[in-house]
Amino acid sequence: MAPPAKATTKKPDPKARALKAAKAVKSGASTLKKKTKKIRTSVTFHRPKTLTKERNPKYPRISAPPRNKLDHYQILKYPLTTESAMKKIEDNNTLVFIVDLRADKKKIKAAVKKMYDIQAKKVNTLIRVRVYPNQTQRSLKAPQENGGYVCWGQIN
Amino acid sequence: MVCRTSGKDARIKVHELRTKTKTELLNQLKELKAELALLRVAKVTGGAPNKLSKIKVVRLSIAQVLTVISQKQKAALRDAYQKKKFLPLDLRPKKTRAIRRRLTKHQASLKTEREIKREKYFPQRKYAIKRFK
């Protein structure tokens, strides 16, 4: 039988390992010593933190993520062309749109920028309850940069 | 020969849509949506009747394009998951909840070895009574 070789190429021979283990137990090696009782410094017991693994699913639950149903075209429905809206265009440099109820001011700003190339300075919104409960009316103010308005309809 | 109206397509043909690629379809979708936006504005500002009647046509076209896109996507996904063991839940057969929980055909047909042997050695016999003469 070959002498127990500690070379990395050769696996240590089982008998030698057994002898080594027996010696360790007898001598009370630090690795085998019984764990000392844990000192508790607090009266409350907190759940010990254990290993938390990241999700790694074997298959996605939905095959493909659903498309964005609230795109720019869905957000801005149409502009309002009432008399008061026209007045706002002239006097206050604003445009008034009917907008989807689920859109927020940031989305409206982005939509208007994308669709009509307008940089809105401020967006106000309100929810129209009187006639069309599933629509929202929102108005926005555009800075008068090049002195150009966008006028949507005739003035009645 | 279809005589085309000025500008846009007279009518979208779905079988033509199916031959297009995804990017082409998405572009067409964007154009249609932009057209719809214009028509909606025209509706509010008192547009010509031919524009107003076009709204319905455009909305239908948008729906058709979206349907084709989603059908193509589903088909491509099914191809991609063809060889895999686990399918995403929306690609699995839908049927009904109860049917999905039943034993599969294979599972229901399994028999113990005892039963197999029994059937083999002691099958159900059929007898006929011969006319006694």
Side-chain angles (χ1 to χ4, degrees):
Chain A
M1 196 171 48
K6 295 300 177 218
T8 49
T9 50
K10 204 169 179 177
K11 268 171 73 176
D13 157 63
K15 192 164 180 190
R17 270 160 65 203
L19 283 175
K20 192 163 170 239
K23 233 170 52 172
V25 171
K26 215 189 286 181
S27 68
S30 61
T31 48
L32 289 176
K33 217 170 19 183
K34 204 173 193 170
K35 286 202 186 101
T36 50
K37 219 159 188 223
K38 196 173 180 176
I39 302 169
R40 295 197 177 274
T41 53
S42 165
V43 182
T44 41
F45 177 80
H46 290 290
R47 174 178 57 81
K49 297 256 161 60
T50 57
L51 174 67
T52 43
K53 286 173 124 180
E54 286 285 319
R55 278 188 184 218
N56 184 21
K58 291 210 165 83
Y59 63 94
R61 305 298 132 159
I62 332 174
S63 52
R67 69 181 177 99
N68 178 25
K69 300 243 172 84
L70 196 63
D71 55 2
H72 304 291
Y73 299 102
Q74 177 74 12
I75 289 180
L76 297 175
K77 295 197 176 173
Y78 49 88
L80 206 54
T81 52
T82 57
E83 268 189 37
S84 54
M86 291 293 121
K87 213 159 181 301
K88 271 204 139 33
I89 290 180
E90 292 171 25
D91 304 339
N92 307 53
N93 193 21
T94 71
L95 294 169
V96 188
F97 282 92
I98 300 293
V99 143
D100 192 288
L101 191 58
R102 294 167 294 169
D104 47 6
K105 289 185 183 180
K106 290 186 181 174
K107 287 211 175 86
I108 296 169
K109 212 166 180 175
V112 149
K113 178 97 192 267
K114 184 117 188 281
M115 283 183 61
Y116 304 113
D117 217 9
I118 297 173
Q119 180 72 24
K121 185 162 165 222
K122 185 176 180 219
V123 176
N124 293 336
T125 63
L126 63 93
I127 297 183
R128 272 169 37 153
V129 177
R130 192 163 54 96
V131 188
Y132 304 110
N134 60 342
Q135 286 181 359
T136 321
Q137 166 176 314
R138 304 193 173 188
S139 71
L140 41 90
K141 303 188 191 286
Q144 193 175 351
E145 295 213 272
N146 303 321
Y149 301 88
V150 181
C151 190
W152 287 108
Q154 321 110 309
I155 299 164
N156 296 341
Chain B
M1 290 296 180
V2 178
C3 109
R4 301 198 142 202
T5 56
S6 61
K8 308 277 186 239
D9 316 61
R11 234 272 171 69
I12 284 197
K13 295 253 163 61
V14 178
H15 66 87
E16 283 170 17
L17 285 179
R18 288 193 203 280
T19 59
K20 294 194 178 175
T21 66
K22 190 166 180 195
T23 38
E24 284 176 22
L25 286 172
L26 286 173
N27 279 332
Q28 179 147 28
L29 187 64
K30 239 198 307 186
E31 285 170 13
L32 285 171
K33 286 199 177 180
E35 198 184 336
L36 185 64
L38 286 173
L39 290 174
R40 288 236 161 93
V41 171
K43 180 174 170 193
V44 172
T45 59
N50 72 333
K51 276 197 183 167
L52 298 185
S53 64
K54 206 151 185 259
I55 282 188
K56 184 171 180 192
V57 172
V58 173
R59 285 177 67 220
L60 185 63
S61 321
I62 290 177
Q64 285 166 339
V65 172
L66 282 172
T67 303
V68 168
I69 289 176
S70 107
Q71 282 175 344
K72 277 183 155 226
Q73 193 179 46
K74 259 290 162 53
L77 281 166
R78 279 189 204 279
D79 277 334
Y81 280 100
Q82 188 76 305
K83 295 281 160 50
K84 304 270 179 76
K85 187 173 174 193
F86 294 116
L87 291 175
L89 301 177
D90 53 345
L91 297 183
R92 298 188 191 184
K94 173 86 180 173
K95 304 211 171 166
T96 73
R97 192 159 198 258
I99 292 176
R100 280 179 269 147
R101 276 152 187 69
R102 290 201 295 228
L103 290 173
T104 66
K105 226 152 173 246
H106 177 255
Q107 287 165 348
S109 71
L110 288 175
K111 295 193 159 88
T112 57
E113 201 173 324
R114 187 167 194 253
E115 214 176 331
I116 294 173
K117 283 193 176 164
R118 200 188 231 168
E119 280 181 2
K120 188 172 164 206
Y121 293 124
F122 306 110
Q124 186 77 358
R125 312 297 307 192
K126 268 191 170 176
Y127 298 103
I129 294 187
K130 194 172 167 184
R131 195 154 167 232
F132 182 72
K133 202 56 181 251

